[in-house]
Amino acid sequence: MAERDGSSTAPSDVDAVVVGAGFSGLYLLHRLRMLGFTTRVIDSAGDVGGTWYWNRYPGARCDIPTTDYAYSFDPELERAWTWSEKYATQPEILSYLRFVADRYDLRRDISFSTKVTSAAWDESVARWLVRTDLGEEISCRFYVMASGCLSLPKSPEIAGHDRFRGEVYFTSTWPHEGVDFTGKRVAVIGTGSSGIQSIPLIAAQADQLTVFQRTANFSIPARNGPPSPERLDALETDRAAYRDEAKLSRAGVPTEVTEIAGAWATDEVRRERFEAAWEAGELIGILGVFNDLLLNETSNEVVAEMIREKIRAIVADPETAEALCPRDHPFGSKRPCLDTNYFQTYNLPHVRLVDLRKQPIFSITESGIETTDESLEFDAIVYATGFDAMTGPVVAVDIRGRDGVSLREKWADGPSTYLGLTTVGFPNFFTITGPGSPSVLSNMAVSIEQHVDWVAGCLDDLRARGFQTIEPTPVAEAGWNQHVDDGASITLYPTANSWYMGANVPGKPRFFLPYVAGVDVYRATCDEVVARDYLGFSLSGPVGSQCNDGVIRRLQVDVAMLIRTLEELDLPPMESLPVEDARALMQAIESVRPPGRAVGEVVDGVLPGAAGELAYRLYRPATAGPHPVVAYFHGGGWVLGSLDSDDPFCRDLCISSDSVVVSVNYRHAPEARFPAAADDAFAAVQWIAAHPAELRGIPDQLAVAGWSAGANLAAVACWLARDAGGPDIVGQLLLTPVTDGSMGTTSYQENALGYVLTAPLMQWFWDHYADQADRGDPKASPLRGDLSNLPPALIVTAEFDPLRDEGRAYAEALSAAGVPVHHLEGRGQIHTSLTMTDVIPSSADLRAQMGDALRDFFRAAVPA
Ligand SMILES: Cc1cc2nc3c(=O)[nH]c(=O)nc-3n(C[C@H](O)[C@H](O)[C@H](O)COP(=O)(O)OP(=O)(O)OC[C@H]3O[C@@H](n4cnc5c(N)ncnc54)[C@H](O)[C@@H]3O)c2cc1C
């Protein structure tokens, strides 16, 4: 082991300084060295290993299978090492990292027992000056924090913690010689992963063990043993393919991806899938048991309750069992644990649980712990109190960028990064697995390799092209922050007080730190940034400078996933099919979609259209009636669509607006061309307005709504009602409406292809619906008509929609005509995503606002 000594002969002028000699720093050193960059790695630890150097507590193991929690960059290295267990112990992982350091002769460029205290960017020479606690100053072109996500232990924050005279241990800095608890009275404070791993082993030695729990955590049995034969087989059969699968997976481990949503699955399917995941003992497996586990509260509660059932079945004392049942956060919103006999430990007579929610610690005393209820004596206290995660180790160093700006100050309200790799104002500065990257939500071995490869590739590119500096642009960074935040906000993660949220550290801003979309999506994003010539970065050097500014991801995470799924299905373009086949395809897509929310009542009926009967479906709220009424027209380009196609959206609208929604199936083209659908829509509105009693609606409380071509019909119905002198319509909700047949807008060009509703499909719809000569008629293109004296409107458009600009134009034209109008635009949304209840959570807020708008229309229409 290398020891701390101040007389370093290491160079003080290098290409790169890397802080940390764990998984990240070791691989980065190897990569940079192979590329010919002079590099110094600095670590406060006495040897390599990082996490696995420091965390030597009993029971410390990885929670990702060791077949997967390892480097993959060198197949020879893989063949040279054999893991002995499914989840290797800390000593084995540390041996592995030492083996790696030896194999690639890494130690000669690493300074151990040395802490980096500050780093400052010197603009005049475009270099960083790094200082250590040994007083050394190192000048470097590139400065990389490979300092770990979980490497800064959190201080105990318990009154009197420095008074205790007995033995004190922290799981995160465990003594190298080990600890013998035989015959001792031991307290463990904290029941996160380290507590859950160590408690059974401490209990096996101690005379008495008292566990102090603030938050009960979810844990599943690890079922440790030899490495999984399936994973080993797959690896040995085709190592490269297995590693590629990991890189293209969601969490960095090849795992079956389910299409089953827990919210809609039968009890039998739920139980079967849960039990299989419980038996398999893999975190990524149980977190992927349903595709909506971290999106949908119902689905999450199904799994959470099944885990609580297991806890109750294991723990004999019902009161202890109940205290061990997690209730204050959704399953997975905090990192769940893998354990070996954790819950069973509480059945031992000398083990006791103190629930700090009922009996908080008042103070640590010289001889033990005083709670609000009792005073307990101990020989040893073990703190398993976690880390100041992700940002903590980075801002612990005084890092000063351009103009002396402090990173600690820049991130005071939360981290701001581009790709979790770089940050504005700090040229040539990189964070490995930084905030805004998948990091702790993934198998970190895979995420680390990807980050290191990206950074090494970037440095190589800069050098090859004669650039000296790289720095993200404010536009790119703001866009990435928005994207990371958008992704988190559709999940259940932000609802928990977790270290993912910074909530475990008093005063730390509440901010979801990792990126949720998955390592596959993230890798593709980083690769695309490079492929688009370092989009969002400024590069400069003696050869000049370049700035290819822009935002790399503008679609919402769930919308992008929907598009990818549809692309993978490789369906024929609708417009290439005969109409009947297109309708059948649409029905097939609808049949695999969630059924929508339960409403009070659904009634199918018929009403008179302009030329014969029209089917309708009425949705009544569960609340006491009578209710206002919404006449609704489905989307589908006048050609496709049915009462079924918009059924989930109508249910949603019924609940959010607390109105009766009458969805009307008008005549479709090409069988019935323009103006059949418009005439039917108006006839339906007239009939609905005339029959409030039959519908159990409130008289004179009628609004119209529609989506896409249905919004076109709703708009036209308002126009026809105005000209016919009635019926009175109190408001119009137009969702991504067709308002103009010219198809000449910028949004048609920008979003012509790739966002589900394409320009060629719209062309096909128009061709089926209306002759060219009719398309300028306001009954087909309401934007061309007189818009005065129309009902107040809510217009909702989607950013990536060919129809976006005509929706915007309609809102502007209504407003110019004196009609009260509110316009909402779905950022990162596409034409079809706004109606997709239970599939696209990122549009849920817009759907709620549509319901609110309808309520407002009705409220405003009630005579004072
Ligand atoms: C108990 C435990 C179990 C884990 N199990 C898993 C698992 O199963 N799977 C998984 O994917 N991840 C796991 N993790 C996360 C784990 O941290 C990463 O997998 C990985 O080890 C991180 O490697 P790293 O090199 O990025 O950081 P680290 O291993 O944390 O190394 C960072 C190093 O930087 C040094 N350092 C930091 N600041 C300074 C400074 N200013 N000056 C000098 N040196 C500094 C530290 O001393 C440390 O040695 C676990 C973490 C813990 C704590």
Side-chain angles (χ1 to χ4, degrees), residues 19-20 22-24 42-44 49-52 54-55 57 62-64 69 114-116 146-148 150-151 387 397 442-444 448:
V19 183
F23 259 100
S24 303
I42 298 174
D43 200 310
S44 50
T51 292
W52 306 102
W54 295 108
N55 292 268
Y57 59 85
C62 55
D63 59 13
I64 296 286
Y69 186 58
T114 307
K115 192 171 189 166
V116 171
S147 45
L150 299 169
S151 60
F387 299 90
V397 177
S442 67
N443 170 7
M444 289 195 66
I448 286 168

